[in-house]
Structure formats: C-alpha cells, structure tokens
Amino acid sequence: MTTFPGSARVEMVMGIPVSVDIRTALPRRELAPVLDDAFAWLRWVDETFNPAREDSQISRLNRGGTIRQIPELIEVLHRCDELSEATGGWFESRINGVIDTSGYIKGWALERLSRALASAGAVDHRITAGGDIRVRGSAAPGKRWHIGVRDPRTGLVRKVVFTHDMGIATSGGANVVDPRTGVKQDKLGSVTVLGPDLGAADAYATGMYAMGPVLARRFAMELAEAEQYQTMIISRDGQEISTPGFAHYGGAEARLAG
C-alpha cells in the first residue's frame, strides 16, 4: 500500500500523551520545526489555561491576581460563555466562582493547531490527545482517516469513523460534574460528538455527559438538526444510540427516538 512519508511525534502535555502524526510529504528539514512549533503551542496552552498550575493565567484570575492581556484568554472565556448558553448551562466553565476551561480548552487547542499545520503545508495530519482527535486531509493517498470510538468500559472499538476532515471528542470517565450541584456525573458510559470544530464538539460532549441519558438524547437530536454535529451515546449498560447523521461517517445503526 502506498503511504505518505511524513513524521510523527508523541510528547506528554497537559498530563497526557499527545501525538501529532503528519502524513504530508514535506522535506524532513521542514517537518522537524513544524513539530517543534506544534508542541511548543500545546505547552503554552497548558501553561496559560491549566488551573492546576499555580502560575497559569487561569489560576491567577481565580485568585484575583493580575493577568497578562492575552487575546486567546479573552477568546476562550467568551466562547465558553457562548457554549454554556447553547447547552442551557450544562457545559459551564465557571462553577462556584472558579474558572476551569478544561471541558473546552483541549479541543480548542487541537483545533487551532490543526489549522496552523494546514497553513504550514502539513495538510494531512492526525492529532490525538486523550478523548480528543482532529484529523485533516488523508491518512494515505486517497484514503480517509479511520478513527475508532472505544467502549468506555472495555476499551474495545465500538464504531469506526471514516473522514477526511473532522473533530471527534469523547467525554466519559473523567471528572464531569453537574454544574448546578457540583456532583460528579456517572449516569452515562460516554458521549462522542463529531463536528467541524473540535473545541465545540468537546464542550458539547462534556455538556451532554453532565445532562444524563434523557436530556442528552434530546439535546443531541436538537444539535444535529441545528448544526453540523453528530452524537453517539453509550449508556452505562453498553447500549449505544446515535443521531441519524452519525451513520454517514460509518457510525451506529441505532437511532435516537424522536
């Protein structure tokens, strides 16, 4: 099989392994600095937005300290407010007066990185960080990327998504809380959202996981009708349901009730 030469690198960022896999046939002398810049960007995002880092801008903001005037910080906080409104408050970056953009920032960072890689000529790539994946271009000449959606209980692949350009976010097993009560949610196995913007998909997946089964199914259908985002929900007992458009990418046969 014909493959792209490309290059790949994995580093620990934000406490998890992050991989950047470039398949575009760029010269080696160009690939190395592109990958260096990619991970420098991800480390900057972690240093700026990680609430667990005492010196991050988010931590300083939570303490009422002086922060730097960073356009990206204003952009992220504004977008989090918009997504909170869009989800009826189920995705929320401000709980009990504490700002934590964790349900959005990783997807946002990978989405921005994907656009930067494409602008640099690395148009065929896959970026993976935990439950967030951003693919663009082709995995091999003329071949779509194949992305496995895993069962949160067994780790086995439940569905395979085929696409040339997509953000894929899965929420489940992490410390997602009900923003109204602060209680950790565990009524669903996982929620996977596909869409054109990984940051938004990340926030929608987090919000639906917080909603629980009934509200999540309803919101998923409304979201699919209003925007280009499709959802697959795996329940605690392993049943899966999806919005109709999910099947277009090779997703589940099951459908959400109307």
Side-chain angles (χ1 to χ4, degrees), residues 162-202:
F162 301 85
T163 181
H164 285 293
D165 186 359
M166 186 67 62
I168 305 166
T170 298
S171 181
N175 293 321
V176 177
V177 302
D178 181 334
R180 293 159 170 77
T181 64
V183 176
K184 182 179 177 181
Q185 294 294 82
D186 59 359
K187 296 177 182 177
L188 288 172
S190 66
V191 178
T192 297
V193 178
L194 317 178
D197 184 280
L198 181 57
D202 199 2

Side-chain angles (χ1 to χ4, degrees), residues 74-255:
I74 298 171
E75 174 191 336
V76 166
L77 294 177
H78 177 68
R79 186 62 176 137
C80 283
D81 288 343
E82 290 181 335
L83 289 163
S84 175
E85 182 177 355
T87 59
W90 286 102
F91 168 79
E92 182 54 70
S93 63
R94 307 167 193 259
I95 299 177
N96 297 325
V98 176
I99 299 172
D100 183 351
T101 62
S102 299
Y104 172 71
I105 195 64
K106 184 153 54 72
W108 173 82
L110 268 58
E111 182 67 34
R112 287 281 295 263
L113 175 55
S114 177
R115 295 173 189 174
L117 289 175
S119 296
V123 294
D124 308 287
H125 58 259
R126 168 176 172 158
I127 314 167
T128 305
D132 290 339
I133 301 169
R134 186 62 167 92
V135 296
R136 196 181 295 267
S138 300
K143 301 293 184 181
R144 293 179 294 174
W145 291 95
H146 299 178
I147 311 299
V149 179
R150 296 186 178 275
D151 188 306
R153 304 165 306 146
T154 66
L156 299 176
V157 174
R158 292 286 296 261
K159 293 295 172 184
V160 178
V161 173
F162 301 85
T163 181
H164 285 293
D165 186 359
M166 186 67 62
I168 305 166
T170 298
S171 181
N175 293 321
V176 177
V177 302
D178 181 334
R180 293 159 170 77
T181 64
V183 176
K184 182 179 177 181
Q185 294 294 82
D186 59 359
K187 296 177 182 177
L188 288 172
S190 66
V191 178
T192 297
V193 178
L194 317 178
D197 184 280
L198 181 57
D202 199 2
Y204 288 139
T206 300
M208 279 187 270
Y209 190 84
M211 291 177 192
V214 176
L215 290 179
R217 291 176 63 173
R218 184 184 307 159
F219 182 84
M221 281 298 293
E222 294 172 351
L223 180 64
E225 292 172 358
E227 300 187 46
Q228 300 178 40
Y229 292 89
Q230 303 296 331
T231 301
M232 184 175 79
I233 299 170
I234 299 179
S235 65
R236 291 276 294 174
D237 60 5
Q239 296 184 32
E240 63 183 62
I241 50 179
S242 69
T243 51
F246 203 101
H248 176 72
Y249 303 100
E253 292 83 0
R255 300 289 184 267

Side-chain angles (χ1 to χ4, degrees), residues 7-128:
S7 186
R9 185 184 299 178
V10 180
E11 293 187 15
M12 291 294 294
V13 187
M14 298 178 280
I16 57 174
V18 178
S19 68
V20 179
D21 183 355
I22 297 173
R23 301 290 177 90
T24 305
L26 294 174
R28 291 287 176 179
R29 65 179 182 276
E30 295 183 22
L31 281 169
V34 166
L35 287 168
D36 289 343
D37 289 346
F39 283 97
W41 158 252
L42 294 173
R43 285 191 292 272
W44 180 86
V45 171
D46 186 45
E47 292 165 0
T48 303
F49 292 95
N50 189 342
R53 298 179 68 114
E54 189 174 342
D55 59 343
S56 75
Q57 295 303 297
I58 289 293
S59 291
R60 293 181 63 84
L61 191 59
N62 283 328
R63 295 196 304 267
T66 302
I67 62 171
R68 299 195 302 272
Q69 294 299 312
I70 301 174
E72 292 85 352
L73 180 60
I74 298 171
E75 174 191 336
V76 166
L77 294 177
H78 177 68
R79 186 62 176 137
C80 283
D81 288 343
E82 290 181 335
L83 289 163
S84 175
E85 182 177 355
T87 59
W90 286 102
F91 168 79
E92 182 54 70
S93 63
R94 307 167 193 259
I95 299 177
N96 297 325
V98 176
I99 299 172
D100 183 351
T101 62
S102 299
Y104 172 71
I105 195 64
K106 184 153 54 72
W108 173 82
L110 268 58
E111 182 67 34
R112 287 281 295 263
L113 175 55
S114 177
R115 295 173 189 174
L117 289 175
S119 296
V123 294
D124 308 287
H125 58 259
R126 168 176 172 158
I127 314 167
T128 305

